[in-house]
Amino acid sequence: MKKNYIKMVLDLLMAITFVLLMNPRVLNGLPFHEIAGLVIGVAILTHIGLNWRWVINTTKKIFTPKLPGKTRLSYLLNILLLILMATVIISGIFISRVVFPNLAVEGWHSLRGIHSFSADATLALVGLHIALHWQWVMSICKKALKTKEGKLRKGILASVILSLAILAGGMQWYASTATPSMGEFYPKQFQQSDAGPSFNNGNNTGNSTFSHQGPPPNGDFRDGKFHGKDGHGGSNNPFLEMLNYFAIWAVIIIPAYFVEKRILRSKRKPKEVQPKLS
Ligand code: HEM
Ligand code: HEM
């Protein structure tokens, strides 16, 4: 049971981090985006590690007809998710300007297109992935918040609210105080050039275009002025950003959950064996 709570906390933190990553301008911009993008990679490996028994058991049974349709679907979805998530992170590393500025490669624009497209596709698939586990999420929340007699565990509820408030306060504080940490990257990578992809800081004129390596001259990672496109969210406010993408997930999760409930469960034969999740 304790393992399920650990999973739940990790899943929630991954979900929050993922939606914040959908807009590279939130918090302190690219420094946060790139570091959190790498951290989520480690979190996902931990997430897979926590479900390793499921991975092994399902892999062994994947070609047996007894395996429930839902498990097979989950397996396929997980493989796609792994490929897409790896594509987002690896393409991110190759367009990186803060953490790996030396790895920037030619064809930056197409890589950025791949990065952006795979991020959108991952967002949609994570929505489906959560929908397939929605029953698990609800049952863990219920077990955590209610006693066997059906009474509300006020202490746990208060701790959850307090933890979320601390997280929100921390984010608000970070968003309002953090400044782009560009010191060590600036002098080394900053190049002035007329060719190649350029930062558009909104007030560029003539020769004030810069190579995409290293931060822009005014250090403006934060407002997203360093690129032409506005990212996806359109807002720098982390809370609006979260609301925006959680709403998108809700639009995917709600119908997918009900479709899954109707189709997959009604098809499940009684003799089918479901591999254990934990
Ligand atoms: C923001 C991203 C993600 C969220 C919020 C998320 C959420 C969840 C949840 C709620 C569960 C059920 C409980 C649990 O075991 O933790 C789960 C299971 C699982 N997830 Fe994820 N997940 C994410 C990304 C991924 C990725 C990228 C993979 C890559 C393969 C993955 C692989 C798995 C596996 C193997 C399981 C257990 C087996 C199953 O699908 O039933 N997850 N995930
Ligand atoms: C799950 C992880 C990640 C997600 C979901 C994600 C998502 C995104 C999205 C949606 C954009 C905006 C694309 C556009 O507007 O065209 C973006 C831009 C970018 N990302 Fe990521 N990213 C992730 C990881 C990373 C990593 C690990 C790095 C580098 C180490 C990185 C570096 C960048 C850079 C340099 C940009 C371009 C910023 C600009 O427009 O100037 N990303 N990312």
Side-chain angles (χ1 to χ4, degrees), residues 4 7-8 10-12 14-16 18 40 44 47-48 50-52 54-55 58 71 74-75 77-83 85 122 126 129-130 132-134 136-137 249 274 277:
N4 279 340
K7 282 179 168 188
M8 187 71 189
L10 182 67
D11 294 343
L12 183 66
M14 285 197 309
I16 293 175
F18 187 85
I40 205 172
I44 281 160
H47 178 64
I48 298 172
L50 287 170
N51 288 297
W52 196 239
W54 182 94
V55 175
T58 313
T71 312
S74 265
Y75 193 83
L77 197 69
N78 289 343
I79 291 177
L80 275 176
L81 254 181
L82 191 62
I83 295 171
M85 194 64 99
T122 310
V126 170
H129 182 67
I130 299 175
L132 287 177
H133 293 99
W134 196 244
W136 179 89
V137 172
W249 269 345
Q274 179 96 35
L277 193 64

Side-chain angles (χ1 to χ4, degrees), residues 7-85:
K7 282 179 168 188
M8 187 71 189
V9 171
L10 182 67
D11 294 343
L12 183 66
L13 291 177
M14 285 197 309
I16 293 175
T17 312
F18 187 85
V19 295
L20 290 176
L21 280 166
M22 287 306 292
N23 183 346
R25 294 179 301 158
V26 292
L27 299 172
N28 73 339
L30 273 190
F32 169 80
H33 182 84
E34 295 192 7
I35 292 165
L38 295 170
V39 170
I40 205 172
V42 177
I44 281 160
L45 291 180
T46 312
H47 178 64
I48 298 172
L50 287 170
N51 288 297
W52 196 239
R53 195 157 12 132
W54 182 94
V55 175
I56 296 294
N57 287 343
T58 313
T59 308
K60 281 182 188 158
K61 292 184 187 135
I62 198 71
F63 295 115
T64 59
K66 276 186 182 175
L67 197 71
K70 181 179 172 182
T71 312
R72 213 179 288 275
L73 181 68
S74 265
Y75 193 83
L76 189 75
L77 197 69
N78 289 343
I79 291 177
L80 275 176
L81 254 181
L82 191 62
I83 295 171
L84 281 169
M85 194 64 99

Side-chain angles (χ1 to χ4, degrees), residues 18 21-22 24 30 33-34 37-38 40 85 88-89 92-93 95-97 100 112 115-116 119 226-227 229 231-232:
F18 187 85
L21 280 166
M22 287 306 292
L30 273 190
H33 182 84
E34 295 192 7
L38 295 170
I40 205 172
M85 194 64 99
V88 185
I89 295 174
I93 290 174
I95 59 170
S96 162
R97 285 189 234 141
F100 304 106
R112 189 172 146 188
H115 187 66
S116 175
F226 51 89
H227 61 77
K229 246 173 119 184
H232 287 59

